[in-house]
């Protein structure tokens, strides 16, 4: 009789794999809107080990993943889903799905412990510097830097003569900033806390409020609304609020065909320090408050054009990040989102 060698080899391979013993762990950011990708990854991994799932087993895996992805993502936008598996001799694979979550403070404390400084570059943002330069006398133009990090903007503004208050959530960032301000004899007051906890220790005569690379960590439009409300109370009349945020390019999020993609992109964006807000959401956040939008610029274009020669990009990751490429693995010109500088002036 004739022998189908390819068929027989596949049959032998199945027996070979069943005599194997395998174990492993898969850890990925928790993005509920990408459930299909997690199921496919597990299915392919287990199949490669000779443990192909039935439809019922795959449905069970999907239900477990959906539950734990939702739990992890709800707990924190710095959360992972961890899939541990063990395949003993035979056709069975045992797996365990567990969410892991870290707070924003823990995440950035880990940056300090594991990454080489400067974490965010050495130069202040060109957009922030330009706004500060509009002050006739820096000594009378008080600045509030929310989420000031290790002081890239705050220290530069204080060197210009501005009195600077910094609200910083991450304890290690606050320690570094306070120590550097002390060494340089600069007028910088560092407040260690979440900016949304209180306004009792803030002034009400700031000429400039800065949120640089901060809104990209927000989880909801309500947080953006809270910043506008804080600015309405703490800015002097004519003072300015500046922040950068990721927004969709024209056409993205504009029709039902991309709604599912857009929701998954929002969730992945929150895991990648790339929270996305639409123009409608930003307009709703500022509605009814005494602000006028005075400028809206591409962060990539503005900083590239206005930073001093030789310092673009500020870090190795900055240019791709502000272009949305931490969420979309595409050429920059194809990215459906980008980071924008928004400047609002208090009108009353």
């Amino acid at each position: 009789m004739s022998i189908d060698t390819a068929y027989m080899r596949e049959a032998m391979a199945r027996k070979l794999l069943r005599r194997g013993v395998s174990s492993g762990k898969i850890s990925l950011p928790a993005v509920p809107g990408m459930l299909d990708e997690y199921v496919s990854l597990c299915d392919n991994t287990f199949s490669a080990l000779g443990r192909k799932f039935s439809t019922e087993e795959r449905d069970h895996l999907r239900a477990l993943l959906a539950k734990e992805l939702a739990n992890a993502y709800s707990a924190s936008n710095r959360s992972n889903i961890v899939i541990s598996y063990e395949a003993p001799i035979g056709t069975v694979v045992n797996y365990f799905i567990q969410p892991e979550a870290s707070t924003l403070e823990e995440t950035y404390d880990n940056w300090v412990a594991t990454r080489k400084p400067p974490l965010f570059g050495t130069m202040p943002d060109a957009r922030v510097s330009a706004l500060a330069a509009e002050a006739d006398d820096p000594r009378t133009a008080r600045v509030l830097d929310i989420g000031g990090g290790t002081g890239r903007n705050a220290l530069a503004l204080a060197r210009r003569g501005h009195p600077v208050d910094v609200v910083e959530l991450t304890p290690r960032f606050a320690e570094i900033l306070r120590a550097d301000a002390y060494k340089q004899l600069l007028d910088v007051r560092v407040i260690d806390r979440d900016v949304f906890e209180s306004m009792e220790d803030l002034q009400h005569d700031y000429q400039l409020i800065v949120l640089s690379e901060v809104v990209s960590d927000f989880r909801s439009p309500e947080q953006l609304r809270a910043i506008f409300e804080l600015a309405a109370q703490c800015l002097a009349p004519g003072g300015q609020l500046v922040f950068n945020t990721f927004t969709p390019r024209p056409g993205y999020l504009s029709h039902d065909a991309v709604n599912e993609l857009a929701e998954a992109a929002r969730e992945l964006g929150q895991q990648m320090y790339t929270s996305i807000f639409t123009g409608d959401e930003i307009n709703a956040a500022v509605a009814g408050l005494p602000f006028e939008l005075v400028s809206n610029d591409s962060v990539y274009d503005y900083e590239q054009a206005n930073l001093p020669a030789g310092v673009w990009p500020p870090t190795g990751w900055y240019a791709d990040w502000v272009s949305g490429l931490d969420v979309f693995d595409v050429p920059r010109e194809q990215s459906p989102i980008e980071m924008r500088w928004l400047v609002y002036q208090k009108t009353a």
Side-chain angles (χ1 to χ4, degrees):
M1 70 176 181
S2 63
I3 296 178
D4 185 336
T5 56
Y7 174 77
M8 290 301 177
R9 193 169 190 90
E10 289 176 4
M12 292 166 59
R14 288 195 295 272
K15 284 295 186 180
L16 174 67
L17 291 173
R18 289 170 190 170
R19 294 295 294 176
V21 176
S22 303
S23 63
K25 181 182 291 186
I26 302 169
S27 181
L28 289 170
V31 183
M34 299 186 73
L35 173 61
D36 288 346
E37 282 73 16
Y38 297 88
V39 174
S40 179
L41 174 62
C42 290
D43 197 24
N44 291 338
T45 300
F46 300 157
S47 294
L49 299 174
R51 277 70 170 178
K52 189 170 180 62
F53 275 15
S54 66
T55 300
E56 182 179 344
E57 289 171 328
R58 191 179 299 107
D59 289 344
H60 181 65
L61 169 66
R62 183 183 183 88
L64 292 177
L65 280 168
K67 177 183 175 182
E68 298 304 340
L69 282 168
N71 289 339
Y73 183 75
S74 175
S76 170
N77 57 338
R78 297 292 174 269
S79 59
N80 287 335
I81 196 77
V82 181
I83 306 157
S84 304
Y85 63 88
E86 183 177 281
I89 291 176
T91 60
V92 173
V93 60
N94 302 309
Y95 61 88
F96 180 66
I97 303 170
Q98 183 177 16
E100 288 185 352
S102 298
T103 65
L104 201 58
E105 302 98 302
E106 290 169 342
T107 299
Y108 284 123
D109 275 343
N110 185 60
W111 277 33
V112 175
T114 61
R115 299 191 181 194
K116 184 178 179 180
L119 299 177
F120 304 100
T122 58
M123 297 294 296
D125 292 308
R127 176 75 276 190
V128 173
S129 296
L131 291 171
E134 296 175 5
D136 293 331
D137 184 355
R139 294 170 299 177
T140 63
R142 184 177 295 275
V143 177
L144 174 61
D145 187 0
I146 297 174
T150 55
R152 181 172 51 88
N153 284 313
L155 297 175
L157 293 171
R159 284 193 289 268
R160 292 189 74 255
H162 295 274
V164 180
D165 291 345
V166 180
V167 179
E168 176 49 54
L169 176 69
T170 303
R172 288 291 291 122
F173 285 176
E175 290 174 15
I176 294 169
L177 175 51
R178 187 178 287 110
D180 284 347
Y182 178 79
K183 290 176 186 176
Q184 299 177 43
L185 302 177
L186 295 174
D187 186 4
V188 177
R189 181 171 66 114
V190 183
I191 304 167
D192 304 47
R193 63 171 175 81
D194 187 329
V195 70
F196 298 118
E197 288 178 0
S198 172
M199 288 195 296
E200 293 182 0
D201 47 6
L202 301 181
Q203 305 297 319
H204 292 81
D205 62 346
Y206 296 109
Q207 293 296 320
L208 179 64
I209 295 180
V210 176
L211 291 92
S212 177
E213 303 177 18
V214 172
V215 176
S216 51
D217 278 323
F218 282 6
R219 301 208 71 184
S220 70
E222 287 74 23
Q223 289 177 287
L224 196 54
R225 174 69 180 188
I227 287 297
F228 278 113
E229 291 175 343
L230 180 151
Q233 295 191 46
C234 294
L235 275 175
Q240 294 179 311
L241 166 68
V242 58
F243 62 89
N244 46 19
T245 185
F246 287 92
T247 63
R249 294 184 187 272
Y252 186 56
L253 292 176
S254 63
H255 54 85
D256 291 341
V258 297
N259 281 352
E260 186 175 342
L261 170 66
E263 185 58 31
R266 283 180 183 270
E267 294 172 353
L268 181 59
Q270 287 196 13
Q271 292 282 17
M272 302 297 182
Y273 310 86
T274 309
S275 294
I276 303 165
F277 294 100
T278 66
D280 287 344
E281 288 171 331
I282 297 169
N283 289 337
V286 73
L289 296 175
F291 289 104
E292 176 186 5
L293 179 66
V294 294
S295 67
N296 179 348
D297 300 294
S298 162
V299 170
Y300 184 102
D301 292 342
Y302 190 96
E303 296 300 310
Q304 184 183 43
N306 292 285
L307 280 172
V311 296
W312 171 262
T315 68
W317 48 262
Y318 186 88
D320 282 352
W321 175 62
V322 300
S323 302
L325 303 190
D326 282 14
V327 176
F328 297 96
D329 184 14
V330 296
R332 179 175 175 267
E333 62 273 11
Q334 294 179 17
S335 176
I337 61 172
E338 67 171 341
M339 186 174 246
R340 309 282 300 182
W341 279 119
L342 304 180
V343 180
Y344 289 83
Q345 186 165 39
K346 186 176 178 182
T347 56

